[in-house]
Amino acid sequence: QVQLVESGGGSVQAGGSLRLSCAASGLTYNSNCIGWFRQAPGKEREGVATIFVSGGRTVYADFVKGRFSISQDNVKNTVYLQMNSLNPEDTGVYYCAHVRGRICTGLDSTTYNYWGQGTQVTVSS
């Protein structure tokens, strides 16, 4: 069974940085993407970035390009989201999610079949 545990959230001032971690267990040969999604109060969940487990190809939402970076440590089975130049619009709960046994198409949340519990990120102005 796949388990995803996020950590690294917190409060930061605008312009600051945070690094989120997603520790994954239960990955198998048909594990595809591990991605990050976020949900702000009163808004729908949106994709932030994802990485293909095999090969390391990355996909980013336009609104984080140049500011966020996703990476993976295959030894630790951990995916990181380095977030720089944070602004208040980045506030929300950040979720780690995984596609297994399905085609990963990037940041379409409906294709992700495993989800973590989320970690809160708050950016103050």
Side-chain angles (χ1 to χ4, degrees):
Q1 183 72 3
V2 174
Q3 287 191 324
L4 304 170
V5 179
E6 303 100 332
S7 62
S11 297
V12 65
Q13 289 191 327
S17 299
L18 284 173
R19 188 176 81 156
L20 306 182
S21 299
C22 173
S25 60
L27 301 183
T28 63
Y29 69 95
N30 59 351
S31 293
N32 288 322
C33 292
I34 297 179
W36 288 95
F37 293 77
R38 70 185 187 187
Q39 187 165 21
K43 295 187 177 180
E44 292 188 354
R45 188 173 297 183
E46 60 184 356
V48 176
T50 194
I51 188 165
F52 286 74
V53 173
S54 179
R57 184 168 76 91
T58 58
V59 177
Y60 293 93
D62 287 344
F63 55 80
V64 301
K65 285 182 180 177
R67 299 191 299 128
F68 292 9
S69 177
I70 189 170
S71 61
Q72 62 183 351
D73 183 328
N74 290 331
V75 175
K76 296 180 179 180
N77 280 345
T78 300
V79 171
Y80 303 98
L81 184 68
Q82 177 67 44
M83 306 186 295
N84 300 324
S85 301
L86 286 162
N87 58 62
E89 290 70 38
D90 295 316
T91 294
V93 179
Y94 282 68
Y95 298 90
C96 177
H98 175 51
V99 178
R100 189 177 81 168
R102 301 175 178 177
I103 295 175
C104 179
T105 59
L107 296 176
D108 179 359
S109 64
T110 63
T111 63
Y112 287 74
N113 43 355
Y114 295 93
W115 291 82
Q117 294 300 307
T119 185
Q120 176 70 43
V121 171
T122 303
V123 184
S124 58
S125 57

